[in-house]
């Protein structure tokens, strides 16, 4: 719950490397020397960050070279409990839909209502079938 309470912090338009480098008044050549690479390689790092193709290791190296700490965090869009419950609900509905389809194909209309108790099916996915919830 505390993770979702963190305020949103969108990345700067120019990317973190460029933004921090500029804020420090550091040139491409100066950061390059700290990283042991050419200014062109620093420019490439900045571009790869914007394209989201940079590795976490390279981001960490750039942050360290600028006296920063890299922190990666997963922020749940909803509570983890809500995510688990939604998955259990999806699984229960998928299972129900398959069963209903099969029963109708086999002309077993009388038993369809018995497989429609979604609440009980969700509870089963949350308890006895929890290990298979994400399969």
């Amino acid at each position: 719950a505390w993770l979702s309470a963190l305020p949103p912090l969108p990345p700067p338009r120019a990317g973190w490397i460029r933004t921090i480098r500029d804020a420090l008044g550091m040139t491409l050549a100066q950061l390059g020397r700290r990283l042991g690479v050419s200014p062109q390689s620093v420019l490439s790092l900045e571009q790869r960050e914007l394209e989201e193709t940079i590795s976490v290791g390279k981001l960490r190296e750039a942050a360290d070279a600028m006296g920063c700490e890299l922190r990666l965090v997963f922020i749940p869009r909803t509570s983890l409990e809500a995510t688990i419950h939604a998955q259990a609900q999806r699984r229960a509905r998928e299972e129900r839909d398959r069963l209903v389809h099969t029963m109708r194909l086999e002309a077993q209309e009388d038993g369809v209502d018995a497989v429609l108790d979604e609440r009980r099916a969700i509870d089963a996915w949350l308890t006895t079938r929890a290990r298979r919830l994400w399969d």
Side-chain angles (χ1 to χ4, degrees):
W2 64 272
L3 281 176
S4 57
L6 293 173
L9 184 61
R13 205 173 273 212
W16 289 107
I17 298 172
R18 171 76 187 267
T19 299
I20 297 298
R21 182 176 63 75
D22 285 349
L24 292 171
M26 192 181 288
T27 66
L28 288 168
Q30 291 167 332
L31 180 55
R33 278 193 299 278
R34 289 170 156 262
L35 290 169
V37 299
S38 70
Q40 187 59 36
S41 293
V42 174
L43 198 56
S44 174
L45 283 175
E46 292 177 352
Q47 188 60 41
R48 289 192 344 246
E49 178 191 1
L50 291 175
E51 294 166 355
E52 298 183 355
T53 59
I54 192 169
S55 72
V56 173
K58 290 295 180 190
L59 276 174
R60 187 167 279 115
E61 287 175 24
D64 188 52
M66 294 185 288
C68 295
E69 183 179 329
L70 176 68
R71 294 187 181 184
L72 295 173
V73 231
F74 287 97
I75 308 293
R77 291 183 188 106
T78 63
S79 72
L80 295 178
E81 292 82 9
T83 301
I84 292 167
H85 189 272
Q87 178 66 8
Q89 188 173 42
R90 265 191 297 282
R91 294 300 304 265
R93 287 179 179 170
E94 289 168 0
E95 182 178 52
R96 178 202 58 209
D97 292 347
R98 278 192 312 273
L99 287 169
V100 167
H101 178 72
T102 301
M103 292 174 84
R104 287 192 174 133
L105 286 175
E106 295 174 358
Q108 297 176 2
E109 292 286 333
D110 294 340
V112 169
D113 289 337
V115 299
L116 297 181
D117 187 352
E118 186 174 298
R119 187 176 41 81
R120 193 169 49 202
I122 291 170
D123 288 343
W125 278 108
L126 293 172
T127 55
T128 59
R129 298 164 136 184
R131 292 179 64 82
R132 295 185 8 236
L133 184 61
W134 299 99
D135 287 344

